[in-house]
Amino acid sequence: MHADDRNQIAPRAPWRRWLYETIFEHDTVAGKAFDVALLGLIVLSLVCVSLETVDSIRATHGRALWTAEYVLTAIFSVEYMARLVAHPRPRVYARSFFGLVDLVSILPTWIGLFVPGAQTFVIVRVFRILRVFRVLKLARFVREGDVLAGALRSSWPKIAVFLITVLCTVTICGATMYLIEGRGSQFTSIPRGIYWAIVTLTTVGFGDVTPSTTLGQVIASLIMILGYGIIAVPTGIVSAELARSQKSVSGQCCSSCTLEGHDPDARFCKRCGASLAD
């Protein structure tokens, strides 16, 4: 973002500045209180949506669940409008990830309320299920998300090599078990043997395919033991990258591009260069 673009932002009224700090900032008393309240409402909404799918509960408490859903949707609608009003660039926020999540989380309920006979339309019932996407609003409270994403990006080449190694291992084990057990056994093909190797190596063990020969059972035992060791490999890779990338960040949110995760002593946004004091 250029300096000329930032200069085009009109000075905000004190109440809009206070509203912005309350809604978008996380390091103020009002901001923390707002986050806690919003977190509670999101969890309550998810509980209501989940309980509504249980036939026995919907039959006895359906009216109460729908009343709670409309009240919560009204609150989330007010929150969405407040974010648009408080943000210096409403269109930027509306097109952002969280802006779209906020919109998708409230639209289904209003569609079902204002479209006559909408409850009988399959497409609207599908839209209503989209209310569970309010769980994405919880990502707003994961302040270490950037650190985790960076660690995953840094460790991805190592994890890719690990997954290729595992793929080669299960392919070899599946083909070997097909040869050992024979066509007349439960290992009717190499793909089925690979499926068994994946299930065994991950220690899931469905039991729908089992070896019957002694040599096959020995190999199966070795694969099971190997599975416990393999589980720790990706965990160690990501943990090492997390430990390497750990650093202190502030809860300051840029008023121009909404980027978070700045250094504690940062005065300007590292993405757009806007002043963090505005």
Side-chain angles (χ1 to χ4, degrees), residues 8-251:
Q8 294 177 0
I9 301 177
R12 288 178 291 169
W15 67 270
R16 289 189 64 187
R17 183 183 297 274
W18 174 85
L19 188 63
Y20 177 87
E21 292 178 353
T22 301
I23 295 178
F24 287 96
E25 301 290 353
H26 308 292
D27 54 357
T28 62
V29 175
K32 292 178 181 178
F34 178 83
D35 286 348
V36 172
L38 183 60
L39 178 61
L41 291 174
I42 294 173
V43 173
L44 179 60
S45 174
L46 293 173
V47 171
C48 291
V49 172
S50 301
L51 292 179
E52 184 193 347
T53 61
V54 182
D55 294 337
S56 58
I57 296 179
R58 184 174 63 250
T60 55
H61 304 287
R63 182 177 297 274
L65 290 174
W66 268 107
T67 301
E69 173 60 25
Y70 286 133
V71 172
L72 291 170
T73 300
I75 295 175
F76 290 136
S77 300
V78 172
E79 178 222 351
Y80 178 69
M81 297 303 298
R83 289 184 182 275
L84 292 178
V85 171
H87 201 280
R89 288 185 171 83
R91 293 183 181 179
V92 173
Y93 176 76
R95 293 193 296 265
S96 67
F97 171 75
F98 286 120
L100 295 176
V101 168
D102 290 340
L103 182 61
V104 171
S105 67
I106 62 177
L107 278 182
T109 301
W110 295 131
I111 292 176
L113 180 63
F114 290 106
V115 177
Q119 303 303 327
T120 61
F121 297 156
V122 175
I123 184 64
V124 175
R125 292 171 61 187
V126 172
F127 281 143
R128 286 174 55 198
I129 300 300
L130 291 179
R131 291 176 299 172
V132 301
F133 279 86
R134 285 177 187 165
V135 72
L136 294 178
K137 291 164 69 70
L138 295 175
R140 208 188 298 270
F141 304 97
V142 183
R143 302 181 186 176
E144 299 298 328
D146 291 338
V147 176
L148 179 59
L152 290 175
R153 284 193 298 267
S154 300
S155 59
W156 171 244
K158 299 176 184 177
I159 294 179
V161 173
F162 166 76
L163 292 178
I164 293 175
T165 303
V166 172
L167 181 61
C168 294
T169 301
V170 297
T171 301
I172 294 174
C173 292
T176 301
M177 291 299 291
Y178 171 73
L179 294 175
I180 293 175
E181 294 294 316
R183 184 181 295 272
S185 65
Q186 294 179 334
F187 293 82
T188 56
S189 64
I190 291 181
R192 188 157 180 83
I194 294 175
Y195 158 78
W196 168 86
I198 294 175
V199 171
T200 305
L201 190 65
T202 55
T203 69
V204 176
F206 289 134
D208 53 343
V209 181
T210 57
S212 57
T213 63
T214 302
L215 182 57
Q217 292 172 353
V218 170
I219 295 178
S221 301
L222 295 177
I223 295 177
M224 295 175 195
I225 296 174
L226 180 62
Y228 285 103
I230 284 181
I231 291 175
V233 174
T235 304
I237 294 174
V238 177
S239 299
E241 293 295 338
L242 278 174
R244 188 178 307 170
S245 60
Q246 282 291 345
K247 62 179 182 178
S248 177
V249 295
S250 70

